[in-house]
Amino acid sequence: ESPPYHTAFSSPRELVQFIQQLRALSDGKPVGFKLCIGHKSEFIAICKAMISLDTYPDFITVDGGEGGTGAAPQEFSNYVGAPLLDGLAFVEDVLCGLNIRHHIKIVASGKILTGFHMARAAALGADACNCARAMMLAVGCIQALICNTNRCPTGVATQDPKLTKGLVVEDKRERVANFHKNTVKTFVELMGAAGLRGMQDITRSHVYRRVSLTAMFTFEEIFPSVRAGSFISGNVPEKYKADYTYASEERWGIHTVGSWSDDNTKEKVEVAQTATDNHI
């Protein structure tokens, strides 16, 4: 699990400066960060800092609250963080709305198991997908949930020689390679069945989600797309407006009713309250 704070930076602006530092130290190698969306204003604040410093990560990996490791506390795995689809759509919307999407690749991570999961992520803006859980299962994981104890019974998550001998690399490498090959194949077949040339052509209108026994909506209806640069021109969607207003590159944090200075208007306080009620 991620730590509650980092010693290398203490604000969105310092995070982006840290990206600058890493890029310089790595002689220009790709630099990015991974996050699971929590408070929307904090991600928007990072984006504002990117624009202010004219510095952008090469990639952002969006993890879902449904992702995780067997070493994670059960309450964290079950309840912490926004689900992948919601977080992914939000990140795509903000980057497009601020007209900085072209600088950054988006990687989706969070129970990506099948070709359809890849297509679904691509429809919401992913340029690539990470697959951890399914690959672990292919290599022999039985989800014993003791990854951090060095006692993994299958030899996958341990350095104990008595246990690692249970993982026969010559056998497992074939299983992993076959899983990867055929998962990508099903994704390509889905693109072809939809009449698309590649993942860059799939849109939110291509994927439907049943929301009740009698209703089914496209992702475009559930997660309406944002026009490039619309946030800059003042056209911020209502569901993001309070978070966008509050977000500051100089601080982390969420808005509460009392978080505005005394000389601000009652209207701003009401906006802050609305945002607090809408937080995941």
Side-chain angles (χ1 to χ4, degrees), residues 238-239 241-243 245-246 254-260 265-280:
E238 193 63 36
K239 61 181 177 179
K241 192 169 292 183
D243 292 286
T245 301
Y246 180 81
I254 61 172
H255 29 220
T256 60
V257 173
S259 65
W260 301 91
T265 64
K266 179 181 177 182
E267 179 183 1
K268 287 186 176 180
V269 175
E270 291 173 346
V271 168
Q273 179 64 63
T274 301
T276 304
D277 293 342
N278 289 335
H279 265 308
I280 292 175

Side-chain angles (χ1 to χ4, degrees), residues 125-144:
D127 296 297
C129 295
N130 283 346
C131 178
R133 186 179 310 235
M135 289 293 182
M136 292 289 286
L137 294 173
V139 85
C141 169
I142 60 169
Q143 295 185 300

Side-chain angles (χ1 to χ4, degrees), residues 15 40 47 51 62 85-86 90 95 104 142-143 195-196 210 216 225 247 253 260 269 275 280:
L15 167 59
K40 294 185 178 73
C47 293
I51 295 170
V62 183
L85 300 184
D86 303 83
F90 167 69
L95 296 181
I104 304 166
I142 60 169
Q143 295 185 300
L196 305 173
R210 179 169 293 283
M216 182 171 64
S225 297
W260 301 91
V269 175
I280 292 175

Side-chain angles (χ1 to χ4, degrees), residues 142-216:
I142 60 169
Q143 295 185 300
L145 302 180
I146 53 174
C147 312
N148 57 317
T149 67
N150 205 39
R151 293 187 288 108
C152 172
T154 61
V156 175
T158 177
Q159 299 297 316
D160 187 335
K162 291 180 291 187
L163 296 172
T164 56
K165 66 182 181 182
L167 196 159
V168 181
V169 175
E170 291 72 18
D171 173 48
K172 299 302 183 182
R173 69 182 182 185
E174 296 293 334
R175 294 171 181 262
V176 172
N178 288 337
F179 174 77
H180 179 268
K181 176 183 176 182
N182 288 299
T183 302
V184 173
K185 180 182 176 183
T186 60
F187 169 67
V188 172
E189 290 173 343
L190 284 171
M191 295 297 98
L196 305 173
R197 293 182 180 274
M199 67 182 294
Q200 71 279 0
D201 296 325
I202 192 169
T203 70
R204 299 182 184 190
S205 296
H206 285 98
V207 182
Y208 284 78
R209 176 193 277 181
R210 179 169 293 283
V211 297
S212 72
L213 289 175
T214 58
M216 182 171 64

